[in-house]
Amino acid sequence: MDGGEQGTKRNEPSSSPPPHVQHLFVMRHGERLDDADPSWVPKTDRPWDPPLTERGKQQAWEVGKRLRTEGWGITRVVVSPFLRCVQTAAQVVTALCLVDDDDSSHHAAAPESSQDAVIDPSKVKVSIDYGLSELMNGKAIRNPPRGLVDSSTELHWTVPLEELHALLPTGSLDNSVQPTLSAVPAWGETTSAGHQRYSDIFQSIADKFSGENVLCISHGEGVGVSVMKLLPGVVVYGVRYCAYTQAQRTIHSHSRLDGLRAGDWELLTEPGPASGLLYDTFTD
């Protein structure tokens, strides 16, 4: 993900629609259980992959409702395979798929929780992408498996894919989408390599779905990268749970013959309490 003009040939669309503005959102998951209850860690077999708290689920639900009310027309959600991210996606997608009593209104009252939601799952399609995984190092994975030494260690880092799929709203899963990576990155990933991975994956996902507004649900480091790649010299030093960034670009054309022609990305998100992001320019 960068600010440069995009001109790489792609193979998805067969014809080019008129120019339009594409929006890309990058969101962090909700509150994780090990933050709220540290005593959970020694009681579980999988401390590196905590679920959301009930508060975390509500955070995700509220953000999903806000994105729906604001009318951004998000039709594509791509999510990290870690449990807290998939649970976040389940809440957000349910909110985005809410059925209005009056189909002409974006502002119809929404239920207080997803349990009472009536949805149309055709409104948003979801897929899981290993490329959006957490940074695979000891800085980001707080409680890695004991005895983990190097990238050769075989381990199931995430819940089986079929179980993750079952957490998503029925009818929202798009099985036709091929993930950008076929597995979680190897253990021992450097922070710089992980940042480059996030940048590349965000760009790849946006290019793949250039005709749609896209939400990527990932981790705090990924949200930070979505800012720092567009604002060189800026350092992100705080990402609240369920904080998200929003960027936009103009898609001029996208066809099999001519490939993708797109303008520069523009970051729309400002730092502060409203966005849940803290960033600034630091100089020596």
Side-chain angles (χ1 to χ4, degrees):
M1 182 180 185
D2 57 49
E5 180 89 6
Q6 302 298 314
T8 305
K9 289 190 176 181
R10 311 287 174 181
N11 294 318
E12 284 80 10
S14 58
S15 60
S16 184
H20 65 279
V21 174
Q22 181 188 32
H23 291 267
L24 174 66
F25 299 82
V26 179
M27 177 180 171
R28 188 188 181 194
H29 56 77
E31 181 183 64
R32 47 192 285 172
L33 182 56
D34 54 343
D35 267 358
D37 181 13
S39 68
W40 171 83
V41 173
K43 300 175 185 176
T44 182
D45 294 332
R46 300 176 54 81
W48 59 85
D49 191 18
L52 294 183
T53 62
E54 289 304 313
R55 181 169 181 260
K57 293 177 182 178
Q58 191 65 28
Q59 289 168 338
W61 172 248
E62 295 298 332
V63 169
K65 288 195 296 182
R66 182 166 73 244
L67 290 170
R68 167 182 171 269
T69 300
E70 290 175 354
W72 294 110
I74 296 170
T75 56
R76 181 69 54 174
V77 174
V78 187
V79 57
S80 160
F82 280 78
L83 180 58
R84 56 194 178 275
C85 293
V86 178
Q87 290 178 322
T88 297
Q91 296 292 320
V92 172
V93 170
T94 299
L96 292 174
C97 290
L98 281 168
V99 174
D100 292 321
D101 292 334
D102 175 5
D103 287 339
S104 67
S105 172
H106 287 293
H107 304 285
E112 293 299 315
S113 76
S114 60
Q115 294 179 348
D116 303 316
V118 178
I119 69 170
D120 175 3
S122 68
K123 290 183 176 183
V124 179
K125 290 304 172 186
V126 194
S127 58
I128 293 173
D129 198 308
Y130 292 102
L132 294 177
S133 296
E134 180 67 278
L135 284 182
M136 296 303 292
N137 60 39
K139 175 184 175 183
I141 305 289
R142 303 177 190 175
N143 300 286
R146 293 178 181 177
L148 184 63
V149 177
D150 57 34
S151 60
S152 65
T153 304
E154 292 190 7
L155 169 69
H156 295 294
W157 283 101
T158 63
V159 173
L161 201 56
E162 59 271 18
E163 295 181 26
L164 295 175
H165 287 167
L167 297 175
L168 299 169
T170 302
S172 65
L173 178 67
D174 188 347
N175 275 314
S176 69
V177 178
Q178 294 297 312
T180 55
L181 295 183
S182 60
V184 169
W187 180 254
E189 180 180 45
T190 65
T191 299
S192 61
H195 284 188
Q196 188 60 53
R197 164 170 61 87
Y198 282 132
S199 179
D200 292 344
I201 297 303
F202 295 149
Q203 188 68 62
S204 176
I205 290 171
D207 289 352
K208 180 183 291 186
F209 302 111
S210 62
E212 302 183 64
N213 291 331
V214 180
L215 169 63
C216 293
I217 298 178
S218 187
H219 304 266
E221 288 282 346
V223 177
V225 168
S226 71
V227 173
M228 293 185 291
K229 286 293 183 178
L230 297 183
L231 300 177
V234 161
V235 175
V236 176
Y237 55 93
V239 180
R240 188 180 62 196
Y241 283 128
C242 284
Y244 61 86
T245 61
Q246 180 182 0
Q248 68 178 21
R249 64 175 177 173
T250 299
I251 305 295
H252 299 292
S253 64
H254 193 175
S255 67
R256 287 202 179 105
L257 179 61
D258 298 323
L260 173 63
R261 291 184 57 249
D264 295 350
W265 285 106
E266 176 190 2
L267 184 67
L268 303 182
T269 305
E270 298 287 341
S275 68
L277 295 169
L278 298 174
Y279 63 86
D280 206 341
T281 303
F282 291 91
T283 58
D284 295 332

